[in-house]
């Protein structure tokens, strides 16, 4: 791993919209300043799309749809594989770019390059395994053919917290399935997606298959795309509130939708848990990405007999963190994405403390340049505290004691979300009971990080619809067709 020169890297990153294989100016009449949250400085100024640009991007995706769907699955897979290989060559560029626009420490950005790249490799492999069925109908009078087809042009909307992985997790399965796409990254972190478009262009992706729009008016630009009858699929990752709005908008065109929404993950530590393992798991489940992950542990539900010891150990570890700009050596906690994120962490901690929680370490915003919040541990969090209900999206570890298994399950399920749960116990049967009783789309049983391109990622309840990754991921971009033919021996 070597760290590229920042100025030279930023000069290599495109600053225009990518439509129909061309890099074009935005026509909104202004531009977007991308800011480094660690310094508050503008690192690059890029194009701002108007709603006409959005429709032009959809036009390009529609124009390329038939030929891409007819491209051999092996050829589609090989382009994705070439993109995977190129990503490995450019991994230091991508890592630094994410640290600059989003703030996470470089080592974590390198981890995201690995994770995000795996979607290109996995779905490159899956492109040739899109299978159907053929069989005799129960009456014996005909043959039933079940086949899979690309759903058609897709609109992909991604958040700022994992700029590479959220893009590849949608682009790769869509392209593997034979769909063309328009992708819109978050205004706060658009550079990585533009650099992904350059990567796919260099990997030989035909013009129009992938189109990128960057905009400062996401609602205004997205509305006409979502309402356009040529669009067939919307895949969104972001907050539940925006997801709900997009589901309503999608009703008009009866769009296929995939929704990867917010979380409020419980992290349950039973009295029989391996405490060293639980503390290691807690560090990664809470502080990875500076706590800004939908999979971040939000509520540490710890048996009352070990709550104090657990709190002591996690506090000791948190006191060893180094806060700073993600590019600096040894930094483990970068800035939050913006001032609003700092204010949210402050508000949630203040509310918890007013209701009786104790601050064991941290608990304040850090004054000065950038948007930093101290890594924080609070214990004895009382029922009814906002921090138990809302996504923290910051480096705050909140501990709630429980009395027995039924109590742990009740607290864990007491949320409208259901993305991921973490459980630490040495008792296998208890672990299995938790798998069956927790309302969750995913579970880490004695582990603190579970994401993998080979696994189906997604939630239940207000955490979303559909799955990304795994064998399931490609089916979000395929529609099933059933055909009946007469018994060939009877005609
Ligand atoms: P957000 O505010 O919902 O934004 C997500 C994306 O939607 C951004 O690209 C945003 O663009 C766009 N957007 C906002 N309003 C829109 C509208 N009216 N029409 C069309 N697009 C619109 O969420 P965020 O703050 O970026 O991300 C944090 C949230 O994402 C958290 O709740 C987190 O849990 C969730 N998340 C979920 C997963 C998962 O897999 N389940 C993964 C990562 C994050 P602009 O920002 O440019 O307006």
């Amino acid at each position: 791993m070597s760290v590229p020169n920042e100025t030279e890297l930023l000069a290599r990153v495109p600053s225009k919209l990518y439509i129909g294989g061309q890099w074009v100016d935005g026509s909104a009449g202004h531009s977007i300043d991308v800011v480094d949250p660690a310094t508050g400085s503008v690192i690059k100024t890029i194009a701002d799309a108007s709603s006409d640009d959005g429709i032009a991007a959809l036009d390009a995706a529609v124009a390329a749809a038939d030929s891409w769907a007819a491209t051999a699955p092996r050829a589609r897979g090989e382009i994705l594989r070439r993109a995977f290989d190129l990503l490995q060559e450019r991994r230091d560029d991508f890592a630094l770019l994410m640290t600059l626009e989003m703030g996470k420490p470089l080592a974590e950005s390198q981890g995201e390059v690995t994770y995000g790249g795996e979607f290109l490799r996995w779905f490159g492999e899956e492109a040739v395994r899109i299978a159907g069925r053929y069989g005799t109908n129960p009456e014996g009078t005909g043959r039933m053919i079940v086949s899979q087809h690309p759903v058609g042009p897709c609109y992909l909307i991604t958040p700022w917290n994992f700029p590479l992985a959220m893009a590849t997790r949608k682009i790769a399965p869509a392209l593997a399935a034979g769909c063309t796409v328009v992708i819109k990254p978050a205004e706060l972190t658009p550079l990585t997606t533009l650099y992904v478009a350059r990567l796919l262009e260099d990997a030989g992706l035909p013009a129009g298959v992938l189109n990128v729009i960057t905009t400062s008016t996401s609602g205004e630009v997205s509305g006409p795309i979502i309402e356009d009858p040529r669009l067939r699929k919307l895949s969104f990752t972001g907050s539940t509130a925006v997801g709900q709005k997009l589901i309503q908008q999608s009703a008009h065109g009866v769009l296929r939708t995939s929704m990867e929404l917010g979380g409020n993950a419980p992290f349950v530590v039973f009295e029989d848990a391996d405490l060293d393992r639980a503390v290691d798991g807690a560090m990664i489940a809470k502080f990875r990405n500076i706590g800004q992950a939908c999979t971040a542990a939000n509520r540490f539900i710890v048996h009352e007999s070990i709550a104090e010891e657990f709190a002591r150990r996690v506090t000791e570890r948190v006191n060893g963190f180094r806060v700073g700009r993600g590019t600096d050596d040894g930094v483990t906690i970068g800035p939050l994405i913006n001032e609003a994120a700092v204010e949210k962490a402050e508000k949630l901690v203040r509310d918890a403390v007013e209701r009786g929680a104790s601050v064991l370490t941290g608990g304040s915003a850090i004054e000065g340049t950038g948007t930093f919040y101290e890594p924080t541990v609070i214990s004895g969090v009382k029922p009814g505290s906002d921090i138990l209900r809302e996504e923290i999206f910051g480096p705050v570890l909140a501990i709630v004691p429980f009395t027995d298994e039924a109590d742990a399950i009740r607290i864990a399920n007491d949320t409208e979300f259901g993305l991921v749960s973490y459980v630490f116990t040495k008792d296998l049967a208890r672990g299995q009971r938790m798998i069956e009783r927790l309302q969750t789309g995913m579970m880490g049983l004695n582990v603190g990080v579970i994401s993998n391109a080979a696994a189906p990622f997604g939630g239940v309840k207000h955490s979303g619809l559909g799955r990304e990754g795994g064998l399931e991921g490609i089916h979000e971009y395929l529609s099933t067709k059933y055909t009946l033919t007469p018994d060939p021996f009877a005609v």
Side-chain angles (χ1 to χ4, degrees):
M1 167 183 140
S2 67
V3 181
N5 175 283
E6 286 177 26
T7 312
E8 287 169 15
L9 166 62
L10 289 166
R12 282 196 288 281
V13 175
S15 58
K16 295 187 175 187
L17 313 178
Y18 186 58
I19 299 179
Q22 306 291 318
W23 294 95
V24 298
D25 290 322
S27 65
H30 27 82
S31 49
I32 298 173
D33 286 338
V34 183
V35 170
D36 176 346
T39 62
S41 314
V42 174
I43 53 172
K44 195 168 173 90
T45 298
I46 62 160
D48 196 357
S50 66
S51 47
D52 286 348
D53 298 325
I55 291 300
L58 180 61
D59 290 343
V62 170
D66 286 349
S67 66
W68 183 244
T71 300
R74 178 69 76 198
R76 299 199 300 257
E78 280 174 352
I79 291 172
L80 290 170
R81 174 64 206 213
R82 268 201 296 284
F84 169 80
D85 291 337
L86 276 179
L87 178 64
Q88 308 315 311
E89 287 170 22
R90 298 178 194 176
R91 65 177 306 130
D92 294 334
D93 273 11
F94 272 97
L96 179 59
L97 191 57
M98 282 190 277
T99 294
L100 292 178
E101 67 174 342
M102 184 271 165
K104 69 185 80 186
L106 263 184
E108 289 195 23
S109 293
Q110 285 281 350
E112 186 173 342
V113 175
T114 301
Y115 173 53
E118 285 303 327
F119 291 100
L120 298 169
R121 176 155 67 174
W122 174 263
F123 286 109
E125 293 161 348
E126 287 300 282
V128 294
R129 299 192 222 300
I130 299 168
R133 294 204 304 273
Y134 178 87
T136 305
N137 64 352
E139 299 75 21
T141 55
R143 298 294 179 268
M144 304 168 83
I145 303 166
V146 179
S147 52
Q148 301 292 337
H149 304 267
V151 291
C154 305
Y155 186 38
L156 317 176
I157 303 178
T158 54
W160 51 265
N161 60 345
F162 291 99
L164 176 67
M166 297 303 98
T168 54
R169 204 164 80 173
K170 295 187 190 305
I171 292 170
L175 268 44
C179 297
T180 56
V181 305
V182 176
I183 183 166
K184 189 207 77 62
E187 179 188 3
L188 294 168
T189 59
L191 302 181
T192 304
T193 304
L194 292 168
Y195 210 41
V196 167
R198 168 62 53 76
L199 183 88
L200 281 156
E201 184 180 41
D202 292 347
L205 192 70
V209 175
L210 169 78
N211 304 277
V212 183
I213 50 169
T214 51
T215 170
S216 62
T217 51
S218 50
E220 282 163 42
V221 171
S222 299
I225 299 175
I226 296 168
E227 279 150 30
D228 191 303
R230 299 171 299 168
L231 188 76
R232 292 314 320 140
K233 160 97 195 180
L234 171 65
S235 178
F236 170 77
T237 297
S239 61
T240 296
V242 173
Q244 286 167 327
K245 198 186 290 181
L246 295 175
I247 292 171
Q248 280 177 352
Q249 275 181 277
S250 302
H252 180 71
V254 195
L255 295 184
R256 285 277 295 274
T257 57
S258 300
M259 293 281 149
E260 298 287 350
L261 309 178
N264 181 2
F267 187 107
V268 182
V269 188
F270 283 100
E271 62 277 23
D272 64 4
D274 175 336
L275 213 50
D276 289 336
R277 188 177 266 276
V279 170
D280 285 347
M283 290 302 109
I284 190 153
K286 177 72 256 182
F287 294 102
R288 188 173 68 106
N289 225 39
I290 319 137
Q292 301 169 117
C294 53
T295 51
N298 217 54
R299 298 167 294 152
F300 286 78
I301 303 166
V302 184
H303 191 264
E304 58 187 2
S305 66
I306 55 163
E308 209 170 300
E309 174 65 5
F310 179 82
R312 190 188 64 71
R313 292 209 207 177
V314 292
T315 302
E316 198 175 287
R317 294 279 289 271
V318 168
N319 285 336
F321 285 158
R322 181 154 169 240
V323 181
R325 189 171 188 234
T327 48
D328 294 349
D329 279 348
V331 163
T332 45
I333 298 282
L336 292 181
I337 189 69
N338 57 18
E339 198 51 50
V342 174
E343 282 165 16
K344 182 172 189 193
E346 282 182 310
K347 177 184 86 63
L348 291 175
V349 170
R350 197 181 319 118
D351 172 78
V353 170
E354 279 169 11
R355 292 171 194 261
S358 320
V359 177
L360 304 186
T361 189
S364 305
I366 301 175
E367 298 297 321
T369 310
T371 42
F372 292 91
Y373 189 85
E374 290 176 325
T376 296
V377 179
I378 57 175
S379 69
V381 176
K382 300 290 180 285
S385 300
D386 292 346
I387 205 161
L388 303 180
R389 214 179 44 245
E390 292 182 33
E391 240 183 334
I392 306 169
F393 247 56
V396 180
L397 190 159
I399 301 171
V400 189
F402 74 88
T403 50
D404 58 23
E405 192 176 306
D407 192 31
I409 292 168
R410 182 189 57 75
I411 299 171
N413 285 339
D414 186 18
T415 168
E416 75 260 30
F417 296 106
L419 188 62
V420 60
S421 304
Y422 304 93
V423 173
F424 283 75
T425 176
K426 283 188 191 151
D427 179 341
L428 181 60
R430 171 181 267 164
Q432 288 175 290
R433 287 196 295 277
M434 297 299 279
I435 294 172
E436 295 193 18
R437 298 177 94 181
L438 291 188
Q439 298 160 355
T440 187
M442 301 176 284
M443 186 187 285
L445 187 51
N446 296 314
V447 294
V449 61
I450 60 160
S451 300
N452 194 307
F457 188 106
V460 298
K461 297 161 78 179
H462 286 198
S463 289
L465 301 167
R467 293 294 179 268
E468 292 189 322
L471 300 176
E472 292 79 358
I474 201 163
H475 289 281
E476 299 284 317
Y477 298 92
L478 292 168
S479 67
T480 301
K481 187 176 283 180
Y482 154 62
T483 308
L484 180 67
T485 64
D487 176 356
F489 298 100
V491 289

